[in-house]
Structure formats: structure tokens, C-alpha cells
């Protein structure tokens, strides 16, 4: 017996919400954010993202305090040793902030948004991106409610609420 299957076509589920990203002029970029409303971890990921952001800010503040307590000396190039250490701490902070955002909006999507903005990671990016994605929450909430209704309708023949 030979196996003649060359490929499988995957059907996109009903629970996926795809939101296109436009540039500042309203032009479609071809990029999007995608959320699965049937995934129960959406809001948990958002909550964890916010907690990571708080921890990142605290860690950066602590690193700056430690660096400022060190005696500064001339660096190898333009900056002093402490200034260079602060910039490296900021660089690590931005990396962790992008990971925190990606936890909710999808892996690599923070960089996609920054590319559309024409920016590198910057200190206020978390606040700016949270403001950008705020309109998504009602869409996710509605999708979750619709999903919940579909479950209830599917199993109402059992005579009890399966979600309780």
C-alpha cells in the first residue's frame, strides 16, 4: 500500500479574530494581529504581560541605582563606563518589554508594530502599544461570549449547564 497524501489543507477556525494593521496614513500593511477567542489564556497572557512590565520597570530602576553607586570612569570610546552600563541595561529592558508585549499580541508582533511605526524599541512603547490594542478587548470579549454561547447551545440537550 502506498501513501499518496501529499498535503492537508487546514481550515481556519471560527474562533480566530484577525485584525489588520495600518500605518499612520491609514494604508494597509498586510500585517495583522490574530487572537483565538477560544483560547482561555488570552486575558491571563495580558495580565502576565502587565506584571512582566512592572517587573521590568523595577529591575531597570534597580540596575540604574546600582550603576549610579559605582565610581564612574572614562570609557573606551565616547561614553563613560556608567553611561555605557546604563545603555546596556536599557537595551536589555527593551528586549524584555518586547517579550512581555509578545506574550499577549503574538510572538514577533511587537517588532512588526515597531517596523510599521518606523521605530526602534523606546521607553514608552509599552504604553503606546497598550493604547493601540485597547480597542481589541471588546472584540475578544464578544468572541469569547459567542464561543461560550456555542458551547451552551451544543450541550443544552444534556439538560444542564456544562460551564457551571
Amino acid at each position: 500500500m502506498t501513501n499518496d497524501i501529499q498535503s492537508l489543507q487546514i481550515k481556519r477556525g471560527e474562533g480566530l479574530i484577525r485584525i489588520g494593521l495600518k500605518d499612520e496614513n491609514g494604508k494597509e500593511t498586510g500585517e495583522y494581529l490574530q487572537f483565538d477567542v477560544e483560547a482561555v489564556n488570552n486575558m491571563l497572557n495580558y495580565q502576565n504581560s502587565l506584571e512582566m512590565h512592572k517587573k521590568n520597570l523595577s529591575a531597570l530602576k534597580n540596575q540604574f541605582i546600582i550603576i549610579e553607586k559605582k565610581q564612574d570612569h572614562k570609557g573606551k570610546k565616547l561614553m563613560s563606563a556608567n553611561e555605557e552600563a546604563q545603555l546596556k541595561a536599557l537595551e536589555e529592558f527593551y528586549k524584555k518589554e518586547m517579550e512581555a508585549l509578545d506574550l499577549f499580541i503574538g510572538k514577533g508582533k511587537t517588532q512588526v508594530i515597531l517596523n510599521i511605526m518606523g521605530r526602534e524599541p523606546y521607553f514608552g512603547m509599552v504604553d503606546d502599544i497598550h493604547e493601540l490594542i485597547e480597542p481589541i478587548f471588546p472584540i475578544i470579549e464578544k468572541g469569547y461570549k459567542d464561543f461560550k454561547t456555542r458551547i451552551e447551545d451544543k450541550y443544552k440537550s444534556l439538560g444542564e449547564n456544562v460551564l457551571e
Side-chain angles (χ1 to χ4, degrees):
M1 182 165 129
T2 63
N3 188 350
D4 292 339
I5 297 176
Q6 300 297 318
S7 64
L8 298 173
Q9 184 168 341
I10 305 297
K11 183 178 114 180
R12 193 166 76 152
E14 291 179 34
L16 293 179
I17 297 171
R18 210 177 245 199
I19 300 165
L21 297 173
K22 296 180 181 181
D23 66 14
E24 65 184 327
N25 299 318
K27 182 181 172 201
E28 291 288 339
T29 63
E31 296 289 349
Y32 59 89
L33 299 179
Q34 183 169 295
F35 298 91
D36 185 347
V37 297
E38 295 178 6
V40 294
N41 62 347
N42 282 326
M43 293 317 288
L44 288 174
N45 285 345
Y46 181 66
Q47 181 176 304
N48 289 337
S49 175
L50 292 175
E51 288 299 315
M52 287 172 70
H53 173 61
K54 287 179 189 175
K55 287 178 184 176
N56 293 342
L57 283 171
S58 179
L60 179 66
K61 180 181 174 184
N62 290 337
Q63 282 185 301
F64 269 48
I65 289 170
I66 292 168
I67 292 167
E68 288 171 5
K69 289 183 179 184
K70 291 182 180 180
Q71 186 170 351
D72 202 4
H73 59 278
K74 183 168 174 33
K76 296 176 184 172
K77 297 184 181 170
L78 294 175
M79 296 179 281
S80 71
N82 285 2
E83 289 171 333
E84 192 172 323
Q86 287 176 332
L87 287 178
K88 286 181 180 179
L90 275 171
E91 191 174 57
E92 184 63 26
F93 169 76
Y94 293 148
K95 180 180 170 189
K96 289 180 179 179
E97 289 288 80
M98 291 177 69
E99 290 171 6
L101 285 165
D102 281 356
L103 182 63
F104 179 64
I105 63 175
K107 187 172 178 131
K109 292 300 182 176
T110 303
Q111 187 61 56
V112 167
I113 292 171
L114 289 172
N115 290 346
I116 293 169
M117 295 169 75
R119 297 203 61 183
E120 294 290 321
Y122 60 100
F123 192 76
M125 77 177 167
V126 170
D127 294 332
D128 290 349
I129 292 177
H130 279 180
E131 183 179 319
L132 172 75
I133 63 175
E134 190 144 342
I136 293 172
F137 295 120
I139 296 168
I140 291 174
E141 188 175 309
K142 181 187 179 316
Y144 179 73
K145 286 178 182 175
D146 291 348
F147 171 62
K148 185 177 172 184
T149 302
R150 285 197 340 253
I151 291 173
E152 289 169 346
D153 289 347
K154 182 175 181 175
Y155 294 103
K156 79 168 111 176
S157 64
L158 296 175
E160 60 182 71
N161 188 345
V162 293
L163 295 177
E164 288 182 2

